[in-house]
């Protein structure tokens, strides 16, 4: 059971590190880096789920009478705290990503409006095309 607790601890540490990299990628607008980090996090989350299932299985097999040392009880409590911290960071990252997405969407709308206005002004000053009607003043 101690090995499963150690594995959970390691995976949570990794996920916290990856979440910090995720936040940096979002704040810097590095979407390629973000996608890479999210891929790494997906693998780590899957491993964490497997580790949690293994720990549950081991606890069930050990029964009520089995206790872990104080050291591993504390490590397990650290894992619980790290998990809570991870969830808070994930919520903050999601909020940051949503805000970034909304800012980009607003910038694109402004850019599109500017482009349309420029096109409209550009057509006002244009000369008629060869196929259009023209006034012949040559006589």
């Amino acid at each position: 059971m101690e090995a499963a607790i150690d594995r959970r601890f390691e995976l949570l540490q990794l996920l916290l590190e990856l979440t910090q990299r995720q936040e940096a990628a979002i704040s810097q607008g590095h979407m390629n880096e973000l996608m890479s980090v999210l891929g790494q996090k997906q693998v780590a989350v899957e491993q964490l789920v497997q580790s949690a299932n293994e720990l549950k299985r081991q606890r069930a097999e050990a029964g009520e009478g089995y206790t872990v040392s104080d050291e591993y009880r504390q490590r397990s409590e650290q894992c619980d705290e790290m998990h809570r911290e991870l969830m808070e960071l994930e919520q903050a990252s999601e909020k940051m990503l949503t805000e970034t997405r909304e800012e980009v969407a607003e910038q694109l709308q402004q850019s599109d409006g500017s482009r349309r206005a420029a096109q409209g002004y550009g057509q006002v000053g244009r000369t008629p095309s060869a196929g259009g009607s023209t006034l012949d003043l040559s006589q």
Side-chain angles (χ1 to χ4, degrees):
M1 196 172 320
E2 288 83 359
I5 293 171
D6 285 338
R7 180 68 178 146
R8 180 177 181 224
F9 185 84
E10 292 169 7
L11 289 167
L12 286 165
Q13 281 184 317
L14 174 61
L15 284 165
L16 285 169
E17 291 171 18
L18 289 170
T19 300
Q20 290 172 348
R21 286 182 47 205
Q22 172 183 317
E23 287 178 341
I26 292 169
S27 67
Q28 296 169 2
H30 296 160
M31 293 302 125
N32 288 337
E33 173 70 14
L34 175 62
M35 298 309 290
S36 173
V37 170
L38 290 175
Q40 293 172 39
K41 281 182 72 174
Q42 180 64 36
V43 171
V45 166
E46 290 170 3
Q47 291 174 348
L48 183 63
V49 169
Q50 291 172 350
S51 175
N53 290 337
E54 178 63 20
L55 186 58
K56 286 178 188 176
R57 186 190 64 73
Q58 288 179 11
R59 283 182 182 157
E61 286 179 1
E64 295 285 327
Y66 184 82
T67 59
V68 294
S69 68
D70 287 340
E71 176 187 351
Y72 277 95
R73 186 172 290 109
Q74 289 174 354
R75 178 158 278 197
S76 184
E77 289 171 5
Q78 285 178 315
C79 287
D80 293 342
E81 181 59 35
M82 291 167 63
H83 189 260
R84 282 189 290 278
E85 180 183 354
L86 182 62
M87 298 308 294
E88 289 172 8
L89 290 172
E90 281 298 320
Q91 288 176 344
S93 288
E94 184 178 341
K95 181 180 178 185
M96 188 185 327
L97 187 57
T98 299
E99 290 170 355
T100 301
R101 183 188 68 212
E102 290 170 357
E103 289 172 6
V104 168
E106 185 178 313
Q107 290 172 355
L108 287 172
Q109 285 179 338
Q110 289 175 352
S111 176
D112 186 50
S114 298
R115 182 185 53 79
R116 288 182 185 186
Q119 285 177 339
Y121 284 119
Q123 290 179 0
V124 170
R126 294 174 92 180
T127 58
S129 63
S133 62
T134 58
L135 180 59
D136 186 6
L137 300 174
S138 59
Q139 291 183 354

